[in-house]
C-alpha cells in the first residue's frame, strides 16, 4: 500500500524509444556460409561422445550432429550404427544382442551385423527370409582414445585417422588425464567462441574462485597467429588497470591477490623459465590459448594442458568435454592427480567453467556488434570456414557432393 | 581417469558411413490414401470412450478423432455435444446443469438442449433473448454397450446401428466381460497394426510372463483370408526352432516350458476339440486372430475371446480398450471372473500388453521396409482402404462430400 | 465388470451430427483491424509493470508487449532499457552496475549510460576502445505512480505525460490504495473484455463469496454511453427473477441474501444518496462500470473505486493489476485499510477475481457468436479501434509510420 499525494514530480527525463532504429552490426553470419550452416556441427570429424566405461554390451543411444546413433561394445570393440531399424523405425538401442557380433531390434528380431551393418537375420521370418542380403544399416567409424569413445560423422568418405585430429602432443606421449563430460544447453559454436574469446575472461571470470589469488588484466593487446591447423592468441601487452573517462578507475586487483607479473604471460617464456615439462617444452606454443577444428580449445599452463572439446549434439545442445593432461611419468604424476582431484576439478572444471556455461546459454547472436577483442572470434570463424570449404572441394573431387543445410 | 600410453592400436575396422544412400522401402503410405489420411481416425464409426460409470451428471470432456466432446448423463441417458460454446469458445464441460435436459456454459449461462443441441435459453439475456432459436450446438450420437459409453463420429450422415459394428458374438449373447481402458501415446494405426502384426508376438513377447510356460514358434507360414468384414490369420505351418546360417540356433524353448503342440494352433481345431463353449463353437473363426474396421482386434482362445479396440484420440494418442469376454452363463462364469481378476488382468492386460504399448510409442513409420510376415499389415491396410473408399462413395450418393484431410 | 445380456435397448434418439455446418457468427475480428492486430497490446501507452519496491539496484527483466526490458533503480530513479546487449545478445539484466548511472553486461563489461543508452565503456577493450560512441541501446520512459513502476512502450514518439492517461480522480487527489499484481495466462483482450462484459457477472459470479449476501439480477437493460475517453454502462432496468419458457424459473435469490434494491443501481444515485465521498461525488460517473484505453476498468462503489489494468505481457499472457482506492484523508482512511486487508483483498481480489481468471484462460475466440449484452464488448472494441486509428494518423503526421503486425 502507498499513499498518493498528488505532489509527485517527474523524475525521469524523457528518453526516446529507439526501437524502430536498426543498429549497425552483423545481422547474420552469411559472410561465413559454411559456419552459418554448421548449427548442428561440422561433418567429417571425430567427436568424443562419452567415457569408454559408459559403453558396454547393453546398447546405448547418443545424439551427435543431430543424428541418433546406437553404440554397443562387442567382445571389447565399440561399434556405432544408425539408431533406427529400417523395418518400422524402432530404435535398435531398445533391443539387445541375440548372437555375438550383432544387434537385434526388439520388435521383430531384425538382426544386424555390427561391422558391416548387413541384415544377418530376420528371426521371425526364419532362416530362409528373402529380406536378408537386401538391407544394410548405416554404420559409423568408432575409436577409443583418452578413456573416451570417439565417433566419426561424415558424408560417406573414408575417415582420416583419429590421431591426425587429436592435439599432436596427446599422440605418442604418455599422459595422465582428468576429464569431465557434461551435456550443456546452447549451440556448440557459442561454446567454442566463448572458449577462445579474448575479451570475456578478464570480466566474466573476475569473480571465479579459480582466479581468487591471481589478478586479471583489464585489457590486452593481442595478435592471432596461425601455426599449422591451430590459431594462437599472442599477448603483446597487458593493462592491469584503466581509467575510463567520465566513469572512473577499474581493475581486478585486491589486497589479497598476487601482484601482476612484470612480463607478458605468453606461454613460451613461462615454460622456458621453468623447464619443468620436457614434452610441453618440445612443442611450439606461441600463445597461451589456441583453437583448431572442429572446435577444440587448448590452454597451455606451465605444468599441464587443458583442452575443451565442444561436441555438437544438435542445434540447441552440445557436450562439454574438458580434459586436463599432465605429461609427467610414473610417480611424478602423483601431484597432478592430487591437484586435479582436490582442487582443479572443483574450481576450474566446476565453478569457473560454469560461468562459461551460463553465458553460452544466454548468448543470442546474430545479430551482433563485434568489438576489437573479437578479432579472436573472427579468426576462428575464418579458420573454420576455410577448412570446411577445403573439405567440400576435396569431397567433390571424390564424387561426393555435400549440400549445406538450410539456415533457420 | 585413464593413462594414455600412446601404444593404442586401431581396433575398429574402417566402415563406410552410408548415410547418404536412400534405402529401398516405402517412403510414404500414398498407395493407401485414405489410410494415410486417417492419422486422427476413420470417421463414420462408433468408438468406446470410457466406462459407463465415468459419465455422470457432471459434464466431462473427452477427445475423439481430434474433436473435443462434452459427455453428460441426464436422467440415465448419456448425451454428447461439441465441447465449445459458440458464444465465446468456453468449454461446456466447465459448466453444469441449470435445468433438466440441458447443459449451461459457465460464463454467461447459455443453455443447450441435450437432445437437439438447440440453444434453449441465454440466461443472462432474459427469457426474451433474441438469440434463442438461432443457435444449435452440434451433437454426437451416444450409446452404452459392454459397460462402456460409445460415441459416433461421422460427417453428418445417419449413423448405422452400433450393434452392426460390434463383433457379432457380442450381440444377442450373454457375455461376462472384463475390460481395461488406458490412454496411450502413439498413433492408433501403429497400435492396430501391432495388434494384428503376425511377426512381432513370437519375438517381442518371448519374455512376457503370460507366455512363461508356453513356447512360441520362431516363425510361421501364414495366410490372411477374409470372411465378411473380418480378415483372419490362418497358420499353415509353425516352426519351433531355427538355425540361422553363420549365427546359430534360435528358439523360444526352455526346460520349464511346455512342449510345442503337434498340430498347428488355428482356433477351429482347438475349439472343435474342446467344445466347451457353444457360442464360440457356433461361429466361424477360421483363425486365431482377426481384425475389422475401424480398428478392432479379436483373439479367440478356446474358452474366452479377447478384443482390443484402438480408439483414435488424436494423431499422437489413442485409447487402448481391452475387453475379455466369456460366454458362460450363471455360475459357470465364476471361474472366468476368478481367472480374470487373479491372473489375466495383470499378466495379459498388464505386462504383455505393456510390451505392445512400448513398441507403439517408439514405432516411427513411414519410411518403412516391410518383410514377408507383414502381409498381415498389408491386408489390414487394404481392408481399411477399401472400406473407407466405399463409405466415401456411399456418402457422395447422399450428397455428403468428404474431403481427405491433408497429410503432415 | 458388467454383464451384457443382449436385451439392451437403444435409449438415445438419433441425432444429427452437424459438424460440417458452419454456424453463423463472427469468424474473425477483421471489422476491427487494429484491435485484431493488438494481440500483444496497444503501443503508445504507459503500463504498470510491478511494485516500486520490486525495482532496486539489482537489474530485473520484465516482458511488456512482447519486448524484453531491463529495469534498474539508480540513486532513486528507475530506468528501463532494451534487455539485450547488442554485442552478443546477452540480457543486461544478468549483469550489474560497475559505475553509478550505468549498467554493465556480464559477459564483456559493455557499459551503458542509463539515461541515454549510450555505450559509455567497453571495459575489456580499455579506455581507448573505438566502439564507444558508436552504439546506443534503446531506452524506455519510466515513471512511478500509485506505488508502481510504469513504462511507456511506443514507436519512437514523445510519450504523453502519464498523468493524462491515469484515471482523472487519481491525479491531484490524495488516495489510499490497495493493490494486487498477478501474472495470468490468456490474452489481455479477453481479460479486458471480461472485465467490462455486462453479461457474465450475474451468472459466473453468482457463487462468489464476495456476493454471498447480495442478490444479483438475472438480466438487465443496459446502455453504453461515452464521456470523454471513458465509456460507461448505464442500467435502465434490472430483472431479479425470470421464467424461461419450457425450462422454469431462474434467479439468484436465497433466504439468506439481502432483498434486491428497489431502484436501479447506477452509481450516480447511490453516491448522491450517501454523499460520503466528496472527491467521488464531484466527478461525473454516469454508470457503475467504465473502461478506457489501453485497457483500464473502473468500478465505482459508493465508498471506494476499484480499477483493473490489463497489462499485455505477450500474446498469451497478461499482468492483472487490481487497485482499490479510497479518497478519505488521514484517520478516516483507517476503516478502508481494515476492510481491504481483512476482507476485500481475499474475497474480491482473490476468489471473485479468480473466477474471471478462469474464464480468461478458457475463452477461445474468434469465432464467436455475440448476443445482446455483448453490446458492451462491441462498444469497447470500437473505442479501442477508433483511438488506435487516431494515434496512427497522428504519428503519420510526425513522419512515424506504424505498420500493423500480422495476425496469426
Amino acid at each position: 500500500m502507498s499513499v498518493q499525494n498528488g505532489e509527485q514530480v517527474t523524475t525521469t527525463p524523457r528518453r526516446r524509444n529507439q526501437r524502430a532504429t536498426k543498429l549497425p552490426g552483423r545481422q547474420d553470419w552469411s559472410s561465413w556460409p559454411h559456419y552459418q550452416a554448421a548449427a548442428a556441427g561440422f561433418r567429417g570429424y571425430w567427436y568424443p561422445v562419452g567415457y569408454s566405461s559408459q559403453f558396454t554390451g547393453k546398447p546405448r543411444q547418443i545424439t551427435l550432429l543431430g543424428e541418433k546413433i546406437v553404440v554397443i561394445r562387442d567382445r571389447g570393440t565399440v561399434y556405432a550404427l544408425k539408431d533406427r531399424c529400417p523395418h518400422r523405425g524402432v530404435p535398435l538401442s531398445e533391443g539387445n544382442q541375440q548372437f555375438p557380433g550383432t544387434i537385434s531390434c526388439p520388435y521383430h528380431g531384425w538382426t544386424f551385423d555390427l561391422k558391416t551393418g548387413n541384415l544377418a537375420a530376420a528371426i521371425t521370418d526364419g532362416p530362409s527370409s528373402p529380406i536378408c542380403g537386401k538391407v544394410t544399416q548405416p554404420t559409423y567409424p568408432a575409436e577409443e582414445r583418452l578413456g573416451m569413445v570417439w565417433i566419426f560423422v561424415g558424408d560417406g568418405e573414408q575417415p582420416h585417422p583419429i590421431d591426425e585430429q587429436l592435439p599432436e602432443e596427446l599422440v605418442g606421449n604418455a599422459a595422465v588425464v582428468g576429464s569431465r563430460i557434461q551435456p550443456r544447453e546452447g549451440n556448440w559454436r557459442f561454446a567454442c567462441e566463448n572458449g577462445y574469446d579474448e575479451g570475456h575472461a578478464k570480466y566474466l571470470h573476475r569473480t571465479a574462485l579459480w582466479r581468487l589469488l591471481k589478478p586479471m588484466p583489464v585489457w590486452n593487446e593481442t595478435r592471432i597467429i596461425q601455426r599449422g591447423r591451430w590459431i594462437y592468441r599472442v599477448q603483446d601487452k597487458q593493462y592491469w588497470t584503466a581509467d575510463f573517462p567520465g566513469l572512473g578507475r577499474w581493475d581486478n586487483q585486491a589486497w589479497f591477490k598476487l601482484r601482476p607479473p612484470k612480463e607478458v604471460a605468453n606461454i613460451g617464456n613461462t615454460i622456458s623459465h621453468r623447464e619443468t615439462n620436457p614434452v610441453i617444452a618440445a612443442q611450439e606454443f606461441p600463445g597461451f590459448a589456441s583453437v583448431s577444428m572442429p572446435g577444440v580449445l587448448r590452454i597451455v599452463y606451465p605444468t599441464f594442458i587443458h583442452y575443451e572439446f565442444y561436441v555438437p549434439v544438435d542445434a540447441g545442445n552440445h557436450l562439454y568435454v574438458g580434459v586436463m593432461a599432465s605429461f609427467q611419468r610414473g610417480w611424478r604424476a602423483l601431484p597432478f592427480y592430487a591437484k586435479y582431484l582436490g582442487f582443479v576439478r572443483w574450481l576450474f572444471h566446476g565453478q569457473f567453467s560454469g560461468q562459461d556455461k551460463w553465458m553460452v546459454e544466454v548468448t543470442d547472436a546474430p545479430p551482433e556488434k563485434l568489438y576489437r577483442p573479437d578479432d579472436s572470434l573472427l579468426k576462428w570463424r575464418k579458420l573454420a570456414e576455410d577448412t570446411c570449404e577445403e573439405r567440400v572441394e576435396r569431397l567433390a573431387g571424390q564424387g561426393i557432393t555435400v549440400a549445406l543445410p538450410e539456415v533457420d
Side-chain angles (χ1 to χ4, degrees), chain A:
Chain A
M1 288 205 173
S2 72
V3 175
Q4 185 76 14
N5 63 14
E7 294 166 32
Q8 215 174 26
V9 285
T10 301
T11 53
T12 318
R14 296 280 167 260
R15 276 158 287 133
R16 192 169 175 79
N17 178 350
Q18 305 186 0
R19 168 179 168 271
T21 315
K22 193 174 181 182
L23 293 172
R26 292 184 181 274
Q27 301 301 317
D28 59 41
W29 289 345
S30 57
S31 35
W32 309 282
H34 290 99
Y35 193 73
Q36 179 165 245
F42 282 114
R43 307 183 73 85
Y45 290 93
W46 295 90
Y47 292 99
V49 296
Y51 296 113
S52 283
S53 60
Q54 294 176 301
F55 298 96
T56 65
K58 184 174 155 50
R60 190 174 158 208
Q61 186 186 71
I62 60 144
T63 306
L64 186 59
L65 278 70
E67 302 186 11
K68 307 277 187 199
I69 300 172
V70 55
V71 183
I72 187 172
R73 186 182 297 275
D74 179 84
R75 291 165 294 180
T77 302
V78 167
Y79 297 91
L81 296 88
K82 180 177 177 180
D83 195 16
R84 183 187 186 279
C85 181
H87 177 211
R88 299 281 283 157
V90 167
L92 296 177
S93 56
E94 308 255 346
N96 59 16
Q97 273 199 326
Q98 295 296 318
F99 299 104
T102 68
I103 185 171
S104 294
C105 176
Y107 205 174
H108 302 83
W110 284 34
T111 299
F112 299 91
D113 183 87
L114 292 174
K115 289 188 189 176
T116 62
N118 290 338
L119 181 65
I123 291 177
T124 47
D125 196 23
S128 61
S129 178
I131 195 107
C132 288
K134 293 188 187 143
V135 175
T136 301
Q137 185 72 344
T139 60
Y140 296 80
E143 294 279 7
E144 293 184 81
R145 288 292 186 283
L146 305 172
M148 295 184 282
V149 167
W150 299 67
I151 289 176
F152 181 87
V153 180
D155 292 292
E157 76 270 30
Q158 182 73 13
H160 55 260
I162 183 171
D163 291 339
E164 292 181 6
Q165 184 189 314
L166 289 176
E168 297 81 348
E169 65 279 6
L170 287 176
V171 180
N173 286 311
V176 186
V177 301
S179 54
R180 181 188 175 100
I181 301 180
Q182 188 179 37
R184 292 187 174 177
E185 289 181 20
N187 189 262
W188 75 274
R189 292 171 300 192
F190 293 150
C192 185
E193 293 182 350
N194 173 83
Y196 193 57
D197 172 18
E198 193 258 309
H200 81 290
K202 304 176 289 297
Y203 187 80
L204 174 66
H205 296 311
R206 72 192 185 282
T207 56
L209 289 174
W210 172 248
R211 299 271 95 181
L212 181 65
L213 300 180
K214 295 185 187 166
M216 307 245 254
V218 180
W219 65 290
N220 297 328
E221 289 178 22
T222 304
R223 273 174 303 134
I224 309 294
I225 62 173
Q226 184 161 3
R227 291 281 182 279
R229 59 194 174 100
W230 296 85
I231 53 173
Y232 295 82
R233 285 198 333 238
V234 179
Q235 312 296 5
D236 284 332
K237 201 159 179 193
Q238 292 185 303
Y239 297 87
W240 298 92
T241 186
D243 282 293
F244 290 91
L247 297 177
R249 170 165 300 193
W250 196 95
D251 62 37
N252 185 248
Q253 304 183 45
W255 62 265
F256 53 83
K257 282 184 190 267
L258 301 173
R259 290 285 174 186
K262 287 180 183 163
E263 288 186 56
V264 177
N266 280 313
I267 191 62
N269 39 24
T270 58
I271 290 182
S272 60
H273 281 310
R274 301 198 183 192
E275 288 175 8
T276 57
N277 194 314
V279 170
I280 295 182
Q283 307 278 334
E284 186 201 28
F285 294 115
F288 175 69
S290 49
V291 71
S292 72
M293 283 288 275
V296 182
L297 179 70
R298 176 170 60 188
I299 309 285
V300 182
Y301 290 93
T303 57
F304 64 94
I305 305 186
H306 169 69
Y307 304 89
E308 298 191 356
F309 302 86
Y310 309 105
V311 182
V313 171
D314 55 29
N317 295 277
H318 65 286
L319 201 65
Y320 168 88
V321 177
V323 172
M324 211 158 270
S326 166
F327 297 87
Q328 308 292 355
R329 286 169 186 277
W331 60 267
R332 288 177 197 268
L334 284 179
F336 175 75
Y337 275 111
K339 186 174 174 183
Y340 181 77
L341 288 175
F343 179 67
V344 173
R345 183 171 179 81
W346 314 111
L347 294 192
F348 189 86
H349 279 177
Q351 188 234 14
F352 182 94
S353 177
Q355 293 179 327
D356 291 324
K357 174 177 180 291
W358 168 38
M359 283 301 110
V360 171
E361 284 170 1
V362 298
T363 296
D364 171 29
E368 64 192 4
K369 180 142 189 56
L370 301 186
Y371 74 146
R372 196 162 48 180
D374 287 324
D375 186 43
S376 52
L377 296 200
L378 294 172
K379 291 293 190 336
W380 150 245
R381 290 180 187 174
K382 187 174 184 326
L383 174 71
E385 188 66 19
D386 292 348
T387 311
C388 186
E389 204 173 307
E390 283 166 26
R391 172 180 177 261
V392 171
E393 282 168 20
R394 195 171 58 245
L395 291 191
Q398 300 170 23
I400 300 174
T401 305
V402 178
L404 287 193
E406 286 187 23
V407 178
D408 291 339

